[in-house]
Amino acid sequence: MPAIDQLRRVLERLLEVFTVGLLLALTITVLTAVALRMFGGSLPWYDEVASINLAWLSFYGACLAALKRSHMGFPGIVSRAPPAIRSTLFMLSEVIVVGFFAVVAWYGYKVLEVLAWDTLVSLPSIGLDVTQSVIPISAALFIVCELLSMPMAWHKMRSGIDSEEEAIEEAIRIAEEDLKEHRS
């Protein structure tokens, strides 16, 4: 197995563990806040922490989607294009995505300098630069994920494989297996 595939698999596992951890933390926070409200109590930091946790889950989940090439896109357009321009369309789309996230990472980092002196309202010991660090970190990570998944996507594109159709066929296959299992 090539080193890039091993690195991609390790990063995928780390992102899965991290995003599941974020999801569990959000779930526990929300359920705890609901239970406390039922008994007349409250968590003063709940609103801020839950919204930040949701943002982190969204940003890092997007990185995982990029690594799996599951984010929104138009692979059908590229795969149906004439072979002569297919590679150009693919590279153009990759340059646009990487360029966009490079800009997000750069300006996200610049914003951290501005936020360095602010803190959460309900938890003044936590700085906004810490909570908002998700923007430049996840943007840079998105670029890494995009680059690590590019060789596989390039191979599929060159072969004329439409990843959307491939995903649909896989979902149908799994559904048919489940149906057979439930009937027996």
Side-chain angles (χ1 to χ4, degrees):
M1 175 183 295
I4 195 163
D5 286 340
Q6 287 180 326
L7 182 59
R8 186 180 54 76
R9 288 180 194 268
V10 167
L11 183 57
E12 182 176 340
R13 182 64 57 210
L14 289 172
L15 281 169
E16 286 172 346
V17 168
F18 189 64
T19 54
V20 166
L22 288 170
L23 183 60
L24 287 172
L26 179 60
T27 302
I28 290 168
T29 302
V30 170
L31 290 176
T32 302
V34 168
L36 285 172
R37 284 187 182 166
M38 285 177 55
F39 297 110
S42 69
L43 296 172
W45 48 266
Y46 160 74
D47 291 336
E48 274 186 308
V49 171
S51 62
I52 290 165
N53 194 327
L54 182 59
W56 280 41
L57 180 60
S58 300
F59 279 86
Y60 289 112
C63 293
L64 181 58
L67 192 59
K68 293 182 175 196
R69 290 287 167 150
S70 299
H71 53 71
M72 290 176 51
F74 303 98
I77 293 173
V78 174
S79 67
R80 286 185 180 84
I85 64 168
R86 199 179 292 160
S87 299
T88 303
L89 286 175
F90 178 86
M91 291 310 295
L92 179 64
S93 69
E94 292 300 312
V95 166
I96 290 169
V97 169
V98 170
F100 172 78
F101 281 98
V103 169
V104 170
W106 174 255
Y107 284 102
Y109 175 75
K110 288 301 205 182
V111 166
L112 293 182
E113 295 172 359
V114 174
L115 298 175
W117 306 105
D118 282 339
T119 63
L120 294 179
V121 173
S122 59
L123 293 170
S125 61
I126 299 176
L128 285 182
D129 56 339
V130 172
T131 64
Q132 301 305 311
S133 67
V134 67
I135 296 169
I137 292 171
S138 65
L141 188 57
F142 197 100
I143 293 169
V144 169
C145 291
E146 194 76 10
L147 294 176
L148 286 175
S149 64
M150 194 182 300
M152 177 185 60
W154 176 262
H155 174 72
K156 286 182 178 182
M157 179 274 306
R158 296 291 291 166
S159 302
I161 297 171
D162 182 352
S163 58
E164 287 176 338
E165 284 181 18
E166 189 178 50
I168 291 169
E169 289 170 7
E170 177 67 13
I172 290 170
R173 185 190 63 75
I174 290 170
E176 287 173 345
E177 286 177 6
D178 287 346
L179 184 61
K180 286 179 187 176
E181 185 178 307
H182 282 60
R183 285 185 177 168
S184 57

